[in-house]
Coordinates of all heavy atoms in Angstrom, one line a residue:
P172 N -23.8 -1.2 18.6 CA -23.8 -2.4 17.8 C -22.6 -2.3 16.7 O -22.2 -1.2 16.3 CB -25.1 -2.3 17.0 CG -25.6 -0.9 17.2 CD -24.9 -0.4 18.4
P173 N -22.1 -3.5 16.3 CA -21.0 -3.5 15.3 C -21.5 -2.9 14.0 O -22.7 -3.0 13.6 CB -20.6 -5.0 15.2 CG -21.8 -5.7 15.7 CD -22.5 -4.8 16.7
K174 N -20.6 -2.2 13.3 CA -20.9 -1.6 12.1 C -21.0 -2.6 11.0 O -20.3 -3.6 10.9 CB -19.7 -0.7 11.7 CG -20.0 0.2 10.5 CD -18.8 1.2 10.3 CE -19.1 2.1 9.1 NZ -18.0 3.0 8.8
K175 N -22.1 -2.5 10.2 CA -22.4 -3.4 9.1 C -21.4 -3.1 7.9 O -21.2 -2.0 7.6 CB -23.8 -3.3 8.6 CG -24.8 -3.9 9.5 CD -26.2 -3.8 8.9 CE -27.3 -4.4 9.7 NZ -28.5 -4.4 9.1
K176 N -21.0 -4.2 7.3 CA -20.2 -4.1 6.1 C -21.1 -3.9 4.9 O -22.1 -4.5 4.8 CB -19.3 -5.3 5.8 CG -18.3 -5.6 6.8 CD -17.5 -6.8 6.4 CE -16.3 -7.0 7.4 NZ -15.5 -8.2 7.0
S177 N -20.7 -2.9 4.0 CA -21.6 -2.7 2.8 C -21.2 -3.7 1.8 O -20.1 -4.2 1.7 CB -21.3 -1.2 2.4 OG -20.0 -1.1 1.9
T178 N -22.2 -4.0 1.0 CA -22.0 -5.0 -0.1 C -21.3 -4.3 -1.3 O -21.8 -3.2 -1.7 CB -23.4 -5.6 -0.6 OG1 -24.0 -6.1 0.5 CG2 -23.2 -6.6 -1.6
P179 N -20.2 -4.9 -1.8 CA -19.5 -4.3 -3.0 C -20.5 -4.1 -4.2 O -21.4 -4.9 -4.4 CB -18.4 -5.2 -3.3 CG -18.3 -6.1 -2.1 CD -19.5 -6.1 -1.4
A180 N -20.2 -3.1 -5.0 CA -21.0 -2.8 -6.2 C -21.0 -4.0 -7.1 O -22.0 -4.3 -7.8 CB -20.5 -1.6 -6.8
W181 N -19.9 -4.7 -7.3 CA -19.8 -5.7 -8.3 C -20.8 -6.9 -7.9 O -21.3 -7.5 -8.8 CB -18.4 -6.3 -8.4 CG -17.8 -7.0 -7.2 CD1 -17.1 -6.5 -6.2 CD2 -18.0 -8.4 -6.9 NE1 -16.8 -7.5 -5.2 CE2 -17.4 -8.7 -5.7 CE3 -18.6 -9.5 -7.6 CZ2 -17.3 -9.9 -5.1 CZ3 -18.6 -10.7 -7.0 CH2 -17.9 -10.9 -5.7
V182 N -21.1 -7.1 -6.6 CA -22.0 -8.1 -6.2 C -23.4 -7.7 -6.7 O -24.1 -8.6 -7.2 CB -22.0 -8.3 -4.7 CG1 -23.1 -9.3 -4.3 CG2 -20.6 -8.9 -4.3
W183 N -23.8 -6.5 -6.6 CA -25.1 -6.0 -7.0 C -25.2 -6.1 -8.5 O -26.2 -6.5 -9.0 CB -25.3 -4.6 -6.6 CG -25.6 -4.5 -5.1 CD1 -24.7 -4.0 -4.1 CD2 -26.7 -5.0 -4.4 NE1 -25.3 -4.1 -2.9 CE2 -26.5 -4.7 -3.0 CE3 -27.9 -5.6 -4.7 CZ2 -27.4 -5.0 -2.0 CZ3 -28.8 -5.9 -3.8 CH2 -28.6 -5.6 -2.4
I184 N -24.2 -5.7 -9.3 CA -24.2 -5.8 -10.7 C -24.3 -7.2 -11.2 O -25.2 -7.6 -12.0 CB -22.9 -5.2 -11.3 CG1 -22.9 -3.6 -11.0 CG2 -22.8 -5.4 -12.8 CD1 -21.7 -3.0 -11.3
A185 N -23.6 -8.2 -10.5 CA -23.7 -9.6 -10.9 C -25.0 -10.1 -10.6 O -25.6 -10.9 -11.4 CB -22.6 -10.4 -10.1
A186 N -25.7 -9.7 -9.5 CA -27.0 -10.2 -9.2 C -28.1 -9.7 -10.2 O -28.9 -10.4 -10.6 CB -27.4 -9.7 -7.8
V187 N -27.9 -8.5 -10.6 CA -28.9 -7.9 -11.6 C -28.7 -8.6 -12.9 O -29.7 -9.0 -13.5 CB -28.7 -6.4 -11.7 CG1 -29.4 -5.9 -12.9 CG2 -29.1 -5.6 -10.5
I188 N -27.5 -8.8 -13.3 CA -27.3 -9.5 -14.6 C -27.8 -11.0 -14.5 O -28.5 -11.5 -15.4 CB -25.8 -9.5 -15.0 CG1 -25.4 -8.1 -15.3 CG2 -25.5 -10.5 -16.1 CD1 -23.9 -7.9 -15.6
G189 N -27.5 -11.6 -13.4 CA -28.0 -13.0 -13.2 C -29.5 -13.0 -13.2 O -30.1 -14.0 -13.8
G190 N -30.2 -12.1 -12.6 CA -31.6 -12.0 -12.5 C -32.2 -11.8 -13.9 O -33.2 -12.5 -14.3
L191 N -31.6 -11.0 -14.8 CA -32.0 -10.7 -16.1 C -31.9 -12.0 -17.0 O -32.7 -12.3 -17.8 CB -31.3 -9.5 -16.7 CG -31.6 -8.2 -16.2 CD1 -30.7 -7.1 -16.7 CD2 -33.1 -7.8 -16.4
L192 N -30.8 -12.7 -16.8 CA -30.6 -13.9 -17.5 C -31.7 -15.0 -17.1 O -32.2 -15.6 -18.0 CB -29.2 -14.5 -17.2 CG -28.0 -13.8 -17.9 CD1 -26.7 -14.3 -17.4 CD2 -28.1 -13.9 -19.4
V193 N -32.0 -15.1 -15.9 CA -33.0 -16.0 -15.5 C -34.4 -15.6 -16.1 O -35.1 -16.5 -16.6 CB -33.1 -16.1 -13.9 CG1 -34.3 -16.8 -13.5 CG2 -31.8 -16.8 -13.4
L194 N -34.7 -14.3 -16.0 CA -35.9 -13.9 -16.6 C -36.0 -14.1 -18.1 O -37.0 -14.5 -18.6 CB -36.2 -12.4 -16.3 CG -36.5 -12.0 -14.9 CD1 -36.5 -10.5 -14.8 CD2 -37.8 -12.6 -14.5
G195 N -34.9 -13.9 -18.8 CA -34.8 -14.2 -20.2 C -35.0 -15.7 -20.5 O -35.7 -16.1 -21.5
L196 N -34.4 -16.6 -19.7 CA -34.6 -18.0 -19.9 C -36.0 -18.4 -19.6 O -36.6 -19.3 -20.4 CB -33.6 -18.8 -19.0 CG -32.2 -18.7 -19.4 CD1 -31.3 -19.3 -18.3 CD2 -31.9 -19.4 -20.7
I197 N -36.6 -17.9 -18.6 CA -38.0 -18.2 -18.4 C -38.9 -17.7 -19.5 O -39.8 -18.4 -19.9 CB -38.5 -17.6 -17.0 CG1 -37.7 -18.3 -15.8 CG2 -40.0 -17.6 -16.8 CD1 -37.9 -17.6 -14.5
G198 N -38.7 -16.4 -20.0 CA -39.5 -15.9 -21.1 C -39.4 -16.8 -22.3 O -40.3 -17.1 -23.0
S199 N -38.1 -17.2 -22.6 CA -37.9 -18.1 -23.8 C -38.6 -19.4 -23.6 O -39.2 -19.9 -24.6 CB -36.4 -18.3 -24.0 OG -36.1 -19.1 -25.1
A200 N -38.6 -20.0 -22.4 CA -39.2 -21.3 -22.2 C -40.7 -21.2 -22.3 O -41.4 -22.2 -22.6 CB -38.8 -21.8 -20.8

């Protein structure tokens, strides 16, 4: 099978930050 490309670290960091922002907005609301 073809080798899978790994996801760059910056994508994971951006996803975590985005998730925290969404949780903060929900908590505030």
Side-chain angles (χ1 to χ4, degrees):
K174 189 175 180 183
K175 288 186 177 182
K176 291 183 179 179
S177 65
T178 306
W181 68 268
V182 172
W183 289 107
I184 293 170
V187 169
I188 291 172
L191 291 173
L192 286 173
V193 168
L194 287 174
L196 290 172
I197 291 171
S199 178

